[in-house]
């Protein structure tokens, strides 16, 4: 299963892509595997924005790795 504890520890984060980026930026020594990304592409612009958030977070936080399967 997925442990969402790290994502839920800060109640002051909003429910938006900036908040997702902030959460990802605070993770340490983490591998995040994105599966079935064709679903994100089906969402058009918002799906691409979500993928970009993961990409930018990995670029700014060298302790996380994003794997796309």
């Amino acid at each position: 299963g997925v442990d969402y504890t790290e994502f839920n520890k800060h109640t002051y984060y909003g429910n938006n892509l900036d908040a997702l980026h902030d959460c990802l930026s605070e993770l340490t020594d983490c591998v995040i595997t994105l599966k079935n990304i064709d679903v994100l592409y089906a969402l058009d612009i918002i799906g691409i924005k979500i993928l970009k958030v993961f990409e930018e977070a990995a670029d700014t936080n060298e302790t996380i790795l994003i794997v796309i399967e």
Side-chain angles (χ1 to χ4, degrees):
V2 177
D3 180 7
Y4 294 101
T5 306
E6 286 296 313
F7 291 108
N8 293 323
K9 69 180 181 180
H10 300 296
T11 57
Y12 57 87
Y13 283 139
N15 293 319
N16 56 46
L17 295 179
D18 288 334
L20 174 61
H21 184 274
D22 291 345
C23 288
L24 292 171
S25 297
E26 291 187 3
L27 294 175
T28 56
D29 300 322
C30 182
V31 176
I32 299 172
T33 304
L34 301 176
K35 297 182 177 186
N36 302 317
I37 64 164
D38 54 321
V39 173
L40 289 176
Y41 288 120
L43 295 173
D44 201 32
I45 293 294
I46 190 66
I48 293 169
K49 286 182 179 182
I50 291 169
L51 287 173
K52 187 172 176 91
V53 168
F54 279 95
E55 179 183 298
E56 289 175 355
D59 287 344
T60 58
N61 181 350
E62 295 178 358
T63 67
I64 63 172
L65 174 65
I66 307 298
V67 176
I68 297 175
E69 289 186 353

Short mmCIF file of all heavy atoms in Angstrom, two decimals:
data_model
loop_
_atom_site.label_atom_id
_atom_site.label_comp_id
_atom_site.label_asym_id
_atom_site.label_seq_id
_atom_site.Cartn_x
_atom_site.Cartn_y
_atom_site.Cartn_z
N GLY A 1 0.80 -1.18 0.00
CA GLY A 1 0.00 0.00 0.00
C GLY A 1 0.85 1.25 0.00
O GLY A 1 2.07 1.20 0.12
N VAL A 2 0.18 2.35 -0.10
CA VAL A 2 0.84 3.65 -0.14
C VAL A 2 0.71 4.31 1.22
O VAL A 2 -0.36 4.33 1.81
CB VAL A 2 0.21 4.56 -1.21
CG1 VAL A 2 0.83 5.94 -1.19
CG2 VAL A 2 0.36 3.92 -2.58
N ASP A 3 1.82 4.84 1.74
CA ASP A 3 1.81 5.56 3.01
C ASP A 3 1.76 7.05 2.71
O ASP A 3 2.72 7.62 2.23
CB ASP A 3 3.05 5.21 3.82
CG ASP A 3 3.10 5.93 5.16
OD1 ASP A 3 2.11 6.60 5.52
OD2 ASP A 3 4.13 5.82 5.83
N TYR A 4 0.64 7.67 3.00
CA TYR A 4 0.46 9.08 2.72
C TYR A 4 0.84 9.96 3.91
O TYR A 4 0.60 11.16 3.88
CB TYR A 4 -1.00 9.37 2.32
CG TYR A 4 -1.38 8.74 1.01
CD1 TYR A 4 -2.11 7.57 0.97
CD2 TYR A 4 -0.99 9.32 -0.19
CE1 TYR A 4 -2.46 6.99 -0.23
CE2 TYR A 4 -1.33 8.75 -1.40
CZ TYR A 4 -2.07 7.58 -1.41
OH TYR A 4 -2.40 7.02 -2.61
N THR A 5 1.45 9.39 4.93
CA THR A 5 1.78 10.13 6.14
C THR A 5 2.60 11.37 5.83
O THR A 5 2.32 12.45 6.35
CB THR A 5 2.56 9.22 7.11
OG1 THR A 5 1.82 8.03 7.33
CG2 THR A 5 2.81 9.94 8.42
N GLU A 6 3.60 11.23 4.98
CA GLU A 6 4.46 12.38 4.67
C GLU A 6 3.68 13.50 4.00
O GLU A 6 3.96 14.67 4.21
CB GLU A 6 5.62 11.95 3.76
CG GLU A 6 6.68 11.16 4.47
CD GLU A 6 7.38 11.98 5.55
OE1 GLU A 6 7.77 13.14 5.29
OE2 GLU A 6 7.54 11.46 6.65
N PHE A 7 2.69 13.17 3.21
CA PHE A 7 1.93 14.18 2.50
C PHE A 7 0.89 14.86 3.39
O PHE A 7 0.44 15.94 3.11
CB PHE A 7 1.22 13.59 1.28
CG PHE A 7 2.19 13.18 0.21
CD1 PHE A 7 2.44 11.85 -0.04
CD2 PHE A 7 2.85 14.13 -0.55
CE1 PHE A 7 3.33 11.47 -1.03
CE2 PHE A 7 3.74 13.76 -1.55
CZ PHE A 7 3.98 12.42 -1.78
N ASN A 8 0.49 14.20 4.46
CA ASN A 8 -0.57 14.74 5.31
C ASN A 8 -0.08 15.40 6.58
O ASN A 8 -0.87 15.82 7.39
CB ASN A 8 -1.55 13.61 5.68
CG ASN A 8 -2.32 13.11 4.49
OD1 ASN A 8 -2.67 13.88 3.61
ND2 ASN A 8 -2.56 11.82 4.45
N LYS A 9 1.23 15.51 6.78
CA LYS A 9 1.71 16.01 8.06
C LYS A 9 1.59 17.53 8.20
O LYS A 9 1.64 18.04 9.30
CB LYS A 9 3.15 15.56 8.29
CG LYS A 9 4.18 16.19 7.39
CD LYS A 9 5.57 15.67 7.71
CE LYS A 9 6.61 16.32 6.83
NZ LYS A 9 7.94 15.83 7.12
N HIS A 10 1.42 18.25 7.11
CA HIS A 10 1.31 19.70 7.18
C HIS A 10 -0.10 20.13 6.80
O HIS A 10 -0.45 20.16 5.64
CB HIS A 10 2.32 20.38 6.24
CG HIS A 10 3.74 20.05 6.57
ND1 HIS A 10 4.32 20.41 7.75
CD2 HIS A 10 4.68 19.38 5.88
CE1 HIS A 10 5.58 19.99 7.77
NE2 HIS A 10 5.81 19.35 6.64
N THR A 11 -0.89 20.50 7.77
CA THR A 11 -2.27 20.86 7.50
C THR A 11 -2.38 22.23 6.84
O THR A 11 -3.43 22.56 6.30
CB THR A 11 -3.10 20.87 8.80
OG1 THR A 11 -2.47 21.77 9.73
CG2 THR A 11 -3.17 19.48 9.40
N TYR A 12 -1.31 23.02 6.87
CA TYR A 12 -1.39 24.35 6.27
C TYR A 12 -1.22 24.32 4.75
O TYR A 12 -1.38 25.33 4.09
CB TYR A 12 -0.37 25.30 6.89
CG TYR A 12 1.06 24.83 6.81
CD1 TYR A 12 1.86 25.10 5.70
CD2 TYR A 12 1.64 24.11 7.86
CE1 TYR A 12 3.17 24.67 5.63
CE2 TYR A 12 2.96 23.69 7.80
CZ TYR A 12 3.72 23.98 6.69
OH TYR A 12 5.01 23.56 6.63
N TYR A 13 -0.90 23.17 4.17
CA TYR A 13 -0.78 23.09 2.72
C TYR A 13 -2.15 23.11 2.09
O TYR A 13 -3.09 22.49 2.57
CB TYR A 13 -0.05 21.82 2.28
CG TYR A 13 1.44 21.86 2.46
CD1 TYR A 13 2.13 20.77 2.93
CD2 TYR A 13 2.17 23.00 2.15
CE1 TYR A 13 3.50 20.79 3.08
CE2 TYR A 13 3.54 23.04 2.31
CZ TYR A 13 4.21 21.94 2.77
OH TYR A 13 5.55 21.97 2.92
N GLY A 14 -2.25 23.81 0.98
CA GLY A 14 -3.52 23.85 0.24
C GLY A 14 -3.67 22.63 -0.63
O GLY A 14 -2.77 21.80 -0.75
N ASN A 15 -4.79 22.51 -1.25
CA ASN A 15 -5.06 21.39 -2.15
C ASN A 15 -4.86 21.84 -3.58
O ASN A 15 -5.80 21.97 -4.35
CB ASN A 15 -6.50 20.89 -1.95
CG ASN A 15 -6.69 20.26 -0.60
OD1 ASN A 15 -5.81 19.55 -0.14
ND2 ASN A 15 -7.81 20.53 0.03
N ASN A 16 -3.59 22.09 -3.95
CA ASN A 16 -3.29 22.54 -5.30
C ASN A 16 -1.91 22.03 -5.71
O ASN A 16 -1.22 21.37 -4.92
CB ASN A 16 -3.40 24.07 -5.40
CG ASN A 16 -2.50 24.76 -4.40
OD1 ASN A 16 -1.34 24.40 -4.24
ND2 ASN A 16 -3.03 25.77 -3.73
N LEU A 17 -1.50 22.33 -6.91
CA LEU A 17 -0.22 21.81 -7.41
C LEU A 17 0.98 22.46 -6.71
O LEU A 17 2.02 21.81 -6.55
CB LEU A 17 -0.13 21.99 -8.92
CG LEU A 17 -1.15 21.16 -9.71
CD1 LEU A 17 -0.99 21.43 -11.20
CD2 LEU A 17 -1.01 19.69 -9.41
N ASP A 18 0.84 23.70 -6.27
CA ASP A 18 1.93 24.32 -5.49
C ASP A 18 2.13 23.56 -4.18
O ASP A 18 3.27 23.35 -3.75
CB ASP A 18 1.61 25.79 -5.19
CG ASP A 18 1.72 26.67 -6.42
OD1 ASP A 18 2.47 26.31 -7.36
OD2 ASP A 18 1.04 27.71 -6.45
N ALA A 19 1.04 23.15 -3.56
CA ALA A 19 1.14 22.38 -2.32
C ALA A 19 1.80 21.03 -2.58
O ALA A 19 2.62 20.57 -1.78
CB ALA A 19 -0.25 22.19 -1.72
N LEU A 20 1.46 20.39 -3.69
CA LEU A 20 2.10 19.12 -4.05
C LEU A 20 3.59 19.32 -4.21
O LEU A 20 4.39 18.55 -3.68
CB LEU A 20 1.48 18.55 -5.33
CG LEU A 20 2.15 17.30 -5.90
CD1 LEU A 20 2.10 16.15 -4.90
CD2 LEU A 20 1.50 16.91 -7.22
N HIS A 21 3.99 20.38 -4.91
CA HIS A 21 5.41 20.66 -5.09
C HIS A 21 6.10 20.88 -3.75
O HIS A 21 7.20 20.37 -3.51
CB HIS A 21 5.60 21.88 -6.00
CG HIS A 21 7.03 22.16 -6.30
ND1 HIS A 21 7.82 22.92 -5.47
CD2 HIS A 21 7.82 21.75 -7.32
CE1 HIS A 21 9.04 22.98 -5.97
NE2 HIS A 21 9.06 22.27 -7.10
N ASP A 22 5.46 21.63 -2.87
CA ASP A 22 6.05 21.88 -1.55
C ASP A 22 6.24 20.59 -0.77
O ASP A 22 7.29 20.37 -0.16
CB ASP A 22 5.17 22.84 -0.74
CG ASP A 22 5.17 24.26 -1.30
OD1 ASP A 22 6.06 24.58 -2.13
OD2 ASP A 22 4.27 25.03 -0.92
N CYS A 23 5.24 19.72 -0.80
CA CYS A 23 5.35 18.42 -0.11
C CYS A 23 6.47 17.58 -0.70
O CYS A 23 7.28 16.99 0.04
CB CYS A 23 4.04 17.66 -0.21
SG CYS A 23 2.71 18.32 0.79
N LEU A 24 6.54 17.51 -2.00
CA LEU A 24 7.59 16.73 -2.66
C LEU A 24 8.97 17.29 -2.34
O LEU A 24 9.92 16.54 -2.18
CB LEU A 24 7.36 16.71 -4.17
CG LEU A 24 6.14 15.95 -4.66
CD1 LEU A 24 5.93 16.20 -6.15
CD2 LEU A 24 6.25 14.46 -4.37
N SER A 25 9.06 18.60 -2.25
CA SER A 25 10.35 19.24 -1.99
C SER A 25 10.88 18.93 -0.60
O SER A 25 12.08 19.01 -0.36
CB SER A 25 10.23 20.75 -2.17
OG SER A 25 9.90 21.04 -3.51
N GLU A 26 9.99 18.60 0.33
CA GLU A 26 10.40 18.32 1.69
C GLU A 26 10.73 16.85 1.95
O GLU A 26 11.27 16.51 2.99
CB GLU A 26 9.32 18.77 2.67
CG GLU A 26 9.20 20.27 2.74
CD GLU A 26 8.23 20.73 3.82
OE1 GLU A 26 7.71 19.87 4.56
OE2 GLU A 26 8.02 21.93 3.92
N LEU A 27 10.42 15.97 1.01
CA LEU A 27 10.73 14.56 1.19
C LEU A 27 12.24 14.33 1.14
O LEU A 27 12.96 15.08 0.48
CB LEU A 27 10.06 13.73 0.10
CG LEU A 27 8.54 13.68 0.11
CD1 LEU A 27 8.04 12.92 -1.11
CD2 LEU A 27 8.02 13.05 1.38
N THR A 28 12.70 13.29 1.82
CA THR A 28 14.12 12.95 1.77
C THR A 28 14.28 11.47 1.44
O THR A 28 13.47 10.64 1.88
CB THR A 28 14.82 13.25 3.11
OG1 THR A 28 14.15 12.56 4.16
CG2 THR A 28 14.82 14.73 3.40
N ASP A 29 15.31 11.18 0.68
CA ASP A 29 15.65 9.81 0.31
C ASP A 29 14.42 9.01 -0.08
O ASP A 29 14.05 8.03 0.56
CB ASP A 29 16.39 9.12 1.47
CG ASP A 29 17.67 9.83 1.82
OD1 ASP A 29 18.35 10.30 0.89
OD2 ASP A 29 17.99 9.94 3.01
N CYS A 30 13.81 9.41 -1.17
CA CYS A 30 12.53 8.84 -1.56
C CYS A 30 12.52 8.51 -3.05
O CYS A 30 13.04 9.28 -3.86
CB CYS A 30 11.44 9.86 -1.23
SG CYS A 30 9.78 9.32 -1.59
N VAL A 31 11.95 7.37 -3.37
CA VAL A 31 11.71 7.00 -4.77
C VAL A 31 10.20 7.00 -4.97
O VAL A 31 9.47 6.32 -4.25
CB VAL A 31 12.29 5.61 -5.11
CG1 VAL A 31 11.94 5.23 -6.54
CG2 VAL A 31 13.79 5.59 -4.89
N ILE A 32 9.75 7.77 -5.93
CA ILE A 32 8.32 7.85 -6.25
C ILE A 32 8.12 7.24 -7.63
O ILE A 32 8.72 7.69 -8.60
CB ILE A 32 7.83 9.30 -6.23
CG1 ILE A 32 8.03 9.90 -4.84
CG2 ILE A 32 6.37 9.38 -6.68
CD1 ILE A 32 7.76 11.38 -4.76
N THR A 33 7.29 6.21 -7.69
CA THR A 33 7.01 5.54 -8.95
C THR A 33 5.64 5.96 -9.45
O THR A 33 4.64 5.78 -8.75
CB THR A 33 7.07 4.02 -8.78
OG1 THR A 33 8.35 3.65 -8.25
CG2 THR A 33 6.84 3.31 -10.11
N LEU A 34 5.62 6.54 -10.63
CA LEU A 34 4.36 6.94 -11.26
C LEU A 34 3.99 5.86 -12.28
O LEU A 34 4.76 5.56 -13.18
CB LEU A 34 4.51 8.29 -11.96
CG LEU A 34 4.93 9.46 -11.09
CD1 LEU A 34 5.13 10.71 -11.95
CD2 LEU A 34 3.90 9.72 -10.00
N LYS A 35 2.82 5.28 -12.08
CA LYS A 35 2.35 4.22 -12.97
C LYS A 35 1.11 4.70 -13.72
O LYS A 35 0.40 5.58 -13.26
CB LYS A 35 2.00 2.96 -12.17
CG LYS A 35 3.20 2.36 -11.46
CD LYS A 35 2.81 1.10 -10.74
CE LYS A 35 4.03 0.47 -10.10
NZ LYS A 35 3.72 -0.83 -9.50
N ASN A 36 0.88 4.11 -14.86
CA ASN A 36 -0.31 4.42 -15.66
C ASN A 36 -0.41 5.91 -15.98
O ASN A 36 -1.48 6.51 -15.88
CB ASN A 36 -1.58 3.94 -14.94
CG ASN A 36 -1.56 2.47 -14.65
OD1 ASN A 36 -1.16 1.67 -15.49
ND2 ASN A 36 -1.95 2.09 -13.45
N ILE A 37 0.70 6.51 -16.39
CA ILE A 37 0.66 7.95 -16.64
C ILE A 37 -0.18 8.31 -17.86
O ILE A 37 -0.50 9.48 -18.06
CB ILE A 37 2.07 8.57 -16.76
CG1 ILE A 37 2.82 8.00 -17.95
CG2 ILE A 37 2.83 8.41 -15.48
CD1 ILE A 37 4.01 8.85 -18.31
N ASP A 38 -0.59 7.31 -18.63
CA ASP A 38 -1.49 7.60 -19.74
C ASP A 38 -2.79 8.22 -19.22
O ASP A 38 -3.43 9.00 -19.93
CB ASP A 38 -1.77 6.35 -20.57
CG ASP A 38 -2.28 5.18 -19.75
OD1 ASP A 38 -1.79 4.99 -18.62
OD2 ASP A 38 -3.17 4.46 -20.24
N VAL A 39 -3.15 7.91 -17.99
CA VAL A 39 -4.32 8.53 -17.38
C VAL A 39 -4.10 10.03 -17.21
O VAL A 39 -5.00 10.83 -17.45
CB VAL A 39 -4.65 7.86 -16.02
CG1 VAL A 39 -5.76 8.60 -15.29
CG2 VAL A 39 -4.99 6.40 -16.22
N LEU A 40 -2.88 10.40 -16.82
CA LEU A 40 -2.58 11.84 -16.68
C LEU A 40 -2.64 12.53 -18.03
O LEU A 40 -3.17 13.64 -18.14
CB LEU A 40 -1.21 12.04 -16.04
CG LEU A 40 -1.11 11.69 -14.56
CD1 LEU A 40 0.32 11.85 -14.08
CD2 LEU A 40 -2.05 12.54 -13.73
N TYR A 41 -2.11 11.90 -19.06
CA TYR A 41 -2.17 12.51 -20.39
C TYR A 41 -3.62 12.66 -20.86
O TYR A 41 -3.95 13.61 -21.57
CB TYR A 41 -1.36 11.70 -21.40
CG TYR A 41 0.12 11.83 -21.21
CD1 TYR A 41 0.91 10.72 -20.95
CD2 TYR A 41 0.75 13.07 -21.28
CE1 TYR A 41 2.29 10.84 -20.77
CE2 TYR A 41 2.12 13.20 -21.10
CZ TYR A 41 2.88 12.08 -20.85
OH TYR A 41 4.23 12.20 -20.68
N ALA A 42 -4.48 11.74 -20.44
CA ALA A 42 -5.90 11.83 -20.82
C ALA A 42 -6.57 13.05 -20.17
O ALA A 42 -7.58 13.53 -20.65
CB ALA A 42 -6.63 10.56 -20.42
N LEU A 43 -5.97 13.54 -19.09
CA LEU A 43 -6.50 14.74 -18.42
C LEU A 43 -6.09 16.02 -19.12
O LEU A 43 -6.44 17.11 -18.68
CB LEU A 43 -6.05 14.78 -16.96
CG LEU A 43 -6.56 13.69 -16.06
CD1 LEU A 43 -5.89 13.78 -14.69
CD2 LEU A 43 -8.07 13.77 -15.92
N ASP A 44 -5.31 15.88 -20.19
CA ASP A 44 -4.87 17.01 -21.00
C ASP A 44 -3.95 17.94 -20.20
O ASP A 44 -3.01 17.47 -19.59
CB ASP A 44 -6.09 17.75 -21.57
CG ASP A 44 -5.73 18.59 -22.79
OD1 ASP A 44 -4.83 18.20 -23.54
OD2 ASP A 44 -6.36 19.65 -22.97
N ILE A 45 -4.22 19.21 -20.19
CA ILE A 45 -3.32 20.20 -19.60
C ILE A 45 -3.04 19.93 -18.13
O ILE A 45 -1.90 20.01 -17.68
CB ILE A 45 -3.90 21.63 -19.78
CG1 ILE A 45 -3.93 22.01 -21.25
CG2 ILE A 45 -3.11 22.65 -18.98
CD1 ILE A 45 -2.56 22.16 -21.89
N ILE A 46 -4.05 19.61 -17.34
CA ILE A 46 -3.83 19.40 -15.91
C ILE A 46 -2.94 18.19 -15.66
O ILE A 46 -2.08 18.21 -14.79
CB ILE A 46 -5.16 19.29 -15.11
CG1 ILE A 46 -4.90 19.32 -13.61
CG2 ILE A 46 -5.92 18.04 -15.48
CD1 ILE A 46 -4.35 20.60 -13.09
N GLY A 47 -3.09 17.14 -16.46
CA GLY A 47 -2.23 15.98 -16.31
C GLY A 47 -0.78 16.30 -16.61
O GLY A 47 0.13 15.85 -15.91
N ILE A 48 -0.55 17.09 -17.64
CA ILE A 48 0.80 17.51 -17.99
C ILE A 48 1.38 18.40 -16.88
O ILE A 48 2.55 18.29 -16.53
CB ILE A 48 0.80 18.21 -19.35
CG1 ILE A 48 0.46 17.19 -20.44
CG2 ILE A 48 2.14 18.89 -19.63
CD1 ILE A 48 0.16 17.78 -21.79
N LYS A 49 0.54 19.26 -16.30
CA LYS A 49 1.01 20.11 -15.20
C LYS A 49 1.40 19.26 -13.99
O LYS A 49 2.38 19.56 -13.31
CB LYS A 49 -0.08 21.11 -14.81
CG LYS A 49 -0.23 22.24 -15.80
CD LYS A 49 -1.28 23.24 -15.34
CE LYS A 49 -1.42 24.38 -16.33
NZ LYS A 49 -2.41 25.37 -15.87
N ILE A 50 0.64 18.21 -13.71
CA ILE A 50 0.97 17.33 -12.59
C ILE A 50 2.32 16.67 -12.83
O ILE A 50 3.17 16.62 -11.93
CB ILE A 50 -0.14 16.28 -12.39
CG1 ILE A 50 -1.42 16.96 -11.88
CG2 ILE A 50 0.31 15.18 -11.43
CD1 ILE A 50 -2.64 16.07 -11.90
N LEU A 51 2.54 16.15 -14.02
CA LEU A 51 3.83 15.53 -14.34
C LEU A 51 4.96 16.54 -14.21
O LEU A 51 6.05 16.22 -13.71
CB LEU A 51 3.81 14.95 -15.75
CG LEU A 51 3.00 13.67 -15.93
CD1 LEU A 51 2.93 13.29 -17.40
CD2 LEU A 51 3.60 12.54 -15.11
N LYS A 52 4.72 17.77 -14.63
CA LYS A 52 5.73 18.82 -14.54
C LYS A 52 6.08 19.12 -13.08
O LYS A 52 7.24 19.36 -12.75
CB LYS A 52 5.26 20.07 -15.25
CG LYS A 52 6.30 21.15 -15.35
CD LYS A 52 5.83 22.28 -16.24
CE LYS A 52 6.83 23.40 -16.26
NZ LYS A 52 7.80 23.29 -17.30
N VAL A 53 5.09 19.08 -12.20
CA VAL A 53 5.35 19.31 -10.77
C VAL A 53 6.31 18.24 -10.24
O VAL A 53 7.27 18.56 -9.53
CB VAL A 53 4.04 19.31 -9.96
CG1 VAL A 53 4.31 19.24 -8.47
CG2 VAL A 53 3.22 20.55 -10.29
N PHE A 54 6.06 16.98 -10.59
CA PHE A 54 6.96 15.92 -10.15
C PHE A 54 8.37 16.11 -10.72
O PHE A 54 9.37 15.95 -10.02
CB PHE A 54 6.41 14.55 -10.54
CG PHE A 54 5.37 14.03 -9.60
CD1 PHE A 54 4.01 14.23 -9.87
CD2 PHE A 54 5.72 13.35 -8.45
CE1 PHE A 54 3.05 13.75 -9.00
CE2 PHE A 54 4.76 12.87 -7.58
CZ PHE A 54 3.42 13.07 -7.85
N GLU A 55 8.45 16.48 -11.98
CA GLU A 55 9.74 16.69 -12.63
C GLU A 55 10.50 17.84 -11.97
O GLU A 55 11.69 17.72 -11.67
CB GLU A 55 9.52 17.00 -14.11
CG GLU A 55 10.78 17.27 -14.89
CD GLU A 55 10.47 17.63 -16.33
OE1 GLU A 55 9.89 16.79 -17.04
OE2 GLU A 55 10.80 18.76 -16.73
N GLU A 56 9.83 18.95 -11.73
CA GLU A 56 10.48 20.11 -11.11
C GLU A 56 10.89 19.82 -9.67
O GLU A 56 11.95 20.27 -9.23
CB GLU A 56 9.56 21.33 -11.17
CG GLU A 56 9.40 21.88 -12.57
CD GLU A 56 8.39 23.02 -12.65
OE1 GLU A 56 7.74 23.34 -11.63
OE2 GLU A 56 8.26 23.59 -13.74
N ALA A 57 10.08 19.07 -8.96
CA ALA A 57 10.43 18.71 -7.58
C ALA A 57 11.69 17.86 -7.55
O ALA A 57 12.57 18.06 -6.72
CB ALA A 57 9.27 17.99 -6.91
N ALA A 58 11.80 16.92 -8.49
CA ALA A 58 12.99 16.08 -8.56
C ALA A 58 14.21 16.90 -8.95
O ALA A 58 15.33 16.62 -8.50
CB ALA A 58 12.77 14.94 -9.54
N ASP A 59 14.02 17.92 -9.77
CA ASP A 59 15.13 18.79 -10.16
C ASP A 59 15.63 19.63 -8.99
O ASP A 59 16.83 19.89 -8.87
CB ASP A 59 14.73 19.71 -11.31
CG ASP A 59 14.61 18.98 -12.63
OD1 ASP A 59 15.12 17.85 -12.75
OD2 ASP A 59 14.00 19.55 -13.56
N THR A 60 14.72 20.06 -8.12
CA THR A 60 15.11 20.93 -7.01
C THR A 60 15.48 20.14 -5.76
O THR A 60 16.18 20.66 -4.91
CB THR A 60 13.99 21.94 -6.65
OG1 THR A 60 12.81 21.23 -6.32
CG2 THR A 60 13.73 22.88 -7.79
N ASN A 61 15.00 18.92 -5.64
CA ASN A 61 15.29 18.09 -4.47
C ASN A 61 16.05 16.86 -4.94
O ASN A 61 15.46 15.91 -5.43
CB ASN A 61 13.99 17.70 -3.77
CG ASN A 61 14.22 16.86 -2.53
OD1 ASN A 61 15.32 16.40 -2.26
ND2 ASN A 61 13.17 16.65 -1.75
N GLU A 62 17.35 16.88 -4.76
CA GLU A 62 18.19 15.79 -5.28
C GLU A 62 18.05 14.50 -4.49
O GLU A 62 18.61 13.49 -4.89
CB GLU A 62 19.64 16.25 -5.30
CG GLU A 62 19.89 17.40 -6.27
CD GLU A 62 21.32 17.87 -6.24
OE1 GLU A 62 22.13 17.35 -5.45
OE2 GLU A 62 21.62 18.78 -7.03
N THR A 63 17.30 14.52 -3.39
CA THR A 63 17.16 13.29 -2.59
C THR A 63 15.93 12.47 -2.99
O THR A 63 15.71 11.41 -2.42
CB THR A 63 17.05 13.61 -1.08
OG1 THR A 63 15.83 14.29 -0.80
CG2 THR A 63 18.23 14.44 -0.63
N ILE A 64 15.16 12.96 -3.96
CA ILE A 64 14.04 12.16 -4.45
C ILE A 64 14.28 11.77 -5.90
O ILE A 64 14.95 12.48 -6.66
CB ILE A 64 12.68 12.88 -4.32
CG1 ILE A 64 12.61 14.15 -5.16
CG2 ILE A 64 12.35 13.17 -2.87
CD1 ILE A 64 11.22 14.77 -5.22
N LEU A 65 13.75 10.63 -6.25
CA LEU A 65 13.87 10.11 -7.60
C LEU A 65 12.47 9.79 -8.09
O LEU A 65 11.69 9.11 -7.41
CB LEU A 65 14.73 8.84 -7.62
CG LEU A 65 14.83 8.09 -8.94
CD1 LEU A 65 15.54 8.94 -9.99
CD2 LEU A 65 15.55 6.76 -8.74
N ILE A 66 12.13 10.28 -9.27
CA ILE A 66 10.84 9.99 -9.88
C ILE A 66 11.06 8.95 -10.97
O ILE A 66 11.86 9.14 -11.89
CB ILE A 66 10.22 11.26 -10.51
CG1 ILE A 66 10.16 12.41 -9.50
CG2 ILE A 66 8.85 10.94 -11.10
CD1 ILE A 66 9.32 12.16 -8.29
N VAL A 67 10.35 7.83 -10.86
CA VAL A 67 10.43 6.75 -11.83
C VAL A 67 9.07 6.65 -12.53
O VAL A 67 8.04 6.59 -11.86
CB VAL A 67 10.77 5.40 -11.14
CG1 VAL A 67 10.77 4.26 -12.15
CG2 VAL A 67 12.09 5.50 -10.40
N ILE A 68 9.09 6.61 -13.84
CA ILE A 68 7.85 6.49 -14.60
C ILE A 68 7.81 5.10 -15.22
O ILE A 68 8.72 4.70 -15.94
CB ILE A 68 7.74 7.58 -15.68
CG1 ILE A 68 7.71 8.96 -15.02
CG2 ILE A 68 6.53 7.35 -16.56
CD1 ILE A 68 7.72 10.11 -15.98
N GLU A 69 6.76 4.37 -14.89
CA GLU A 69 6.60 3.00 -15.43
C GLU A 69 5.42 2.97 -16.37
O GLU A 69 4.46 3.65 -16.25
CB GLU A 69 6.36 2.01 -14.30
CG GLU A 69 7.58 1.77 -13.45
CD GLU A 69 7.34 0.68 -12.42
OE1 GLU A 69 6.21 0.20 -12.26
OE2 GLU A 69 8.32 0.31 -11.79
#
